[in-house]
Amino acid sequence: MQTKGFWPAGVMVILLLAAVPGISRGITVPDTVTLNSQSKLYKPFDFNHAKHIQIMRECSYCHHHTTGTLVQDPNCIRCHRNSSKTKIVSCRGCHLADPFSAAAIKENNPKNYHNDTPSLKAAMHRNCIDCHEKMKGPSGCQDCHQRTKEGDAFYNSGEFVPRNKPAKGGHSGH
Amino acid sequence: MKRRDFLKGCLISGAAASLGPPSKSWAVGSFEGYPDAMGVLVDTTRCIGCRSCEAACNKEQNLPEPQLPFDDTSVFEEKRRTTENAYTVVNRYETKDGQKPSYRKMQCNHCNEPACLTSCFVNAYTKTKEGAVIYNGKVCVGCRTCMVACPFNIPAYSYSSAFGPVIKKCVLCYHTRLKFGRPPACVEICPREALTFGLRKDLIKIGHERIRATPDRYFDHIYGENELGGTSWLYLSRVPAEQIGLDETVGNEPIISNVKEFLGMVPMVLTIWPALFTGFHLLATRNKEHGDDHHNHSEQEDGKK
């Protein structure tokens, strides 16, 4: 009864964009970036940056106003019409790993415009999955990252598939 | 003024005061929610139905093993509700706009003025200043009044327990996380941040800002901002809330408002009325010995007028 890791299931904790040094003005574009290195439920994997550059040919689709040609989004160009490229272009440079910590919530300055910046994990899963669905790319959880044994236990899947008989008081309809 | 007129006047004005609509000052003040209450903004346009929140809840709350794996999507075939074994469930809704289906996570909405709390006669429920509606299973007598009172059908009952059945529901991870300033387990696991944790007042602003910035993406309404006096869990969606199984007929008044005015009257009836009517009785019977004479005399006087 196990669904072989198509798009249901999720991801755990902090993906880290490794590499991408801050001095990217010197143009050191990595060919691969190791993602998900902090997760316990899914294994780390190498994101093929070079292949995505080939397909997309436009950096700003993922990197917003930090690199590539200027953003076109009418909402962004109100401020970033003439923004120059920034020193920091890595995802984790702006997207927090832990946006809901007490400190992060307290720091929330209502005068800042970007008060609703998604976490690093959310930035990846929203940008990647939305684009993959649009471009008919793979969009299942394990299409990108394989689940660990701990992950199987977490989702009661794989070798941890429930063997109990339908018990009383379980999932029932209305 | 004659004593009879005075008594009549007293009675009429007293009756009018008690039967007419009570003034605002009598009624119990309404509660807008704690100023630093936390909440969760559910953006159903981001949810992909991965059910990770269900798995996280199951592990965090040490709930029993599920019948099916948490990555099994066959559960979406039917509309599930919360049970003693699952404090949160995700349901799938086919919407009328013909686009891909919407998913909505369901759990306790942690009302500002919870009906469960109001209805509980052993005071098992507490609304904490962090916004969570928690309950004390040790004092719960299992009467299930809160299950009837809850407008969202959330509290579940441990029918499986033969000797100590109690109410079971989401507590916003109060004891393990919220108390220490950490987000609930479901929020932390959500891969697409369909669940945003923060101060309730900030979340309302964020929600309206998302609608303003991307109006094509949202139906212009935050469910839970005003419904039933406001809830800690707030919902954004592409379609009207009723299409994703949220009841839009609940109104904006907390459940307690239906009984608040009546209950506000009870102390008055219990304290003032006995004294008032005892006084009337004493006045009326003070001269009972020569009551008949007096009665006739008074009638004559009336006739003279």
Side-chain angles (χ1 to χ4, degrees):
Chain A
M1 287 292 281
Q2 160 200 9
T3 49
K4 269 276 182 224
F6 203 66
W7 65 297
V11 186
M12 178 81 182
V13 193
I14 312 172
L15 301 114
L16 280 181
L17 243 197
V20 194
I23 25 92
S24 65
R25 234 181 255 267
I27 323 251
T28 30
V29 181
D31 281 344
T32 60
V33 182
T34 305
L35 298 178
N36 208 34
S37 52
Q38 298 292 304
S39 170
K40 288 176 185 152
L41 304 184
Y42 291 90
K43 292 174 191 161
F45 67 101
D46 283 337
F47 166 71
N48 193 336
H49 195 211
K51 188 178 167 192
H52 283 82
I53 293 172
Q54 244 175 14
I55 296 169
M56 298 303 297
R57 294 176 177 275
E58 176 49 68
C59 306
S60 66
Y61 187 82
C62 295
H63 291 279
H64 315 298
H65 59 88
T66 61
T67 185
T69 51
L70 291 172
V71 280
Q72 302 295 317
D73 189 317
N75 211 27
C76 306
I77 58 172
R78 290 187 295 149
C79 296
H80 294 292
R81 183 184 294 276
N82 295 312
S83 287
S84 48
K85 293 176 183 181
T86 53
K87 275 187 182 168
I88 297 167
V89 297
S90 66
C91 304
R92 65 170 171 181
C94 294
H95 296 281
L96 294 177
D98 187 9
F100 301 131
S101 67
I105 285 171
K106 213 174 180 179
E107 244 174 47
N108 195 347
N109 181 355
K111 288 181 178 169
N112 288 353
Y113 179 77
H114 291 294
N115 264 342
D116 192 17
T117 311
S119 68
L120 188 54
K121 179 171 69 173
M124 305 264 176
H125 284 96
R126 281 170 49 198
N127 223 12
C128 299
I129 296 176
D130 285 356
C131 189
H132 275 224
E133 282 185 347
K134 206 163 75 188
M135 309 278 285
K136 308 266 186 270
S139 57
C141 303
Q142 300 199 66
D143 294 339
C144 284
H145 39 42
Q146 283 296 308
R147 209 156 48 200
T148 61
K149 194 172 174 185
E150 205 178 335
D152 281 345
F154 184 83
Y155 287 97
N156 294 83
S157 194
E159 61 177 291
F160 300 94
V161 165
R163 281 180 200 86
N164 53 356
K165 297 248 165 62
K168 61 249 153 157
H171 295 302
S172 56
H174 273 295
Chain B
M1 193 200 273
K2 299 286 166 297
R3 199 184 68 175
R4 165 175 284 213
D5 296 332
F6 169 73
L7 288 179
K8 249 191 230 166
C10 277
L11 270 178
I12 290 166
S13 60
S18 55
L19 294 175
S23 63
K24 273 287 171 213
S25 56
W26 283 16
V28 187
S30 67
F31 178 63
E32 302 286 322
Y34 290 106
D36 288 332
M38 307 306 286
V40 179
L41 176 65
V42 184
D43 192 332
T44 59
T45 68
R46 296 179 180 179
C47 181
I48 51 171
C50 73
R51 298 183 66 213
S52 297
C53 48
E54 292 186 38
C57 179
N58 178 278
K59 302 297 174 294
E60 179 76 17
Q61 300 294 333
N62 296 315
L63 298 174
E65 187 180 56
Q67 286 174 32
L68 294 171
F70 283 110
D71 58 2
D72 189 334
T73 51
S74 66
V75 295
F76 293 132
E77 306 286 310
E78 60 174 14
K79 299 281 180 289
R80 297 172 298 155
R81 60 153 290 167
T82 50
T83 69
E84 58 173 308
N85 300 326
Y87 299 166
T88 185
V89 291
V90 178
N91 281 321
R92 184 172 64 195
Y93 297 90
E94 303 294 339
T95 53
K96 288 175 188 164
D97 58 5
Q99 293 193 37
K100 55 182 181 177
S102 285
Y103 296 90
R104 179 176 64 88
K105 176 183 180 313
M106 163 186 195
Q107 74 300 307
C108 172
N109 284 322
H110 300 272
C111 304
N112 288 345
E113 289 200 68
C116 53
L117 182 152
T118 314
S119 71
C120 182
F121 71 91
V122 293
N123 253 342
Y125 283 94
T126 309
K127 173 81 176 172
T128 75
K129 66 179 182 356
E130 295 88 348
V133 178
I134 59 173
Y135 59 97
N136 183 352
K138 284 181 188 144
V139 301
C140 174
V141 294
C143 72
R144 288 171 283 166
T145 312
C146 52
M147 291 176 75
V148 178
C150 177
F152 302 113
N153 294 322
I154 292 302
Y157 195 60
S158 49
Y159 288 107
S160 60
S161 167
F163 296 106
V166 291
I167 287 296
K168 300 267 186 181
K169 75 167 195 78
C170 157
V171 292
L172 211 54
C173 291
Y174 179 77
H175 309 284
T176 49
R177 293 165 157 267
L178 189 69
K179 206 162 63 170
F180 309 107
R182 292 172 57 215
C186 53
V187 171
E188 201 167 273
I189 196 80
C190 181
R192 282 165 61 92
E193 219 171 285
L195 310 175
T196 304
F197 174 73
L199 287 166
R200 183 178 183 273
K201 54 185 180 192
D202 289 347
L203 294 177
I204 290 170
K205 286 183 201 154
I206 287 177
H208 283 298
E209 177 57 23
R210 281 186 199 169
I211 296 170
R212 191 204 62 75
T214 45
D216 297 340
R217 196 181 169 94
Y218 298 104
F219 183 78
D220 187 6
H221 181 67
I222 302 178
Y223 188 93
E225 180 181 2
N226 298 313
E227 275 75 8
L228 293 162
T231 57
S232 278
W233 280 66
L234 306 157
Y235 300 84
L236 283 173
S237 71
R238 193 181 71 229
V239 291
E242 60 177 8
Q243 290 187 33
I244 53 166
L246 289 165
D247 188 352
E248 287 191 291
T249 63
V250 292
N252 290 346
E253 284 294 322
I255 297 291
I256 192 178
S257 293
N258 297 323
V259 292
K260 202 187 261 178
E261 293 188 336
F262 167 73
L263 290 175
M265 232 170 67
V266 170
M268 188 207 65
V269 171
L270 291 183
T271 55
I272 301 175
W273 278 25
L276 190 68
F277 289 121
T278 307
F280 288 165
H281 176 75
L282 289 177
L283 275 174
T285 57
R286 193 172 54 176
N287 299 321
K288 196 71 184 178
E289 310 86 80
H290 40 90
D292 282 344
D293 292 350
H294 177 79
H295 188 73
N296 293 337
H297 176 66
S298 142
E299 285 228 46
Q300 282 163 14
E301 270 193 351
D302 282 349
K304 277 179 202 165
K305 261 195 253 178

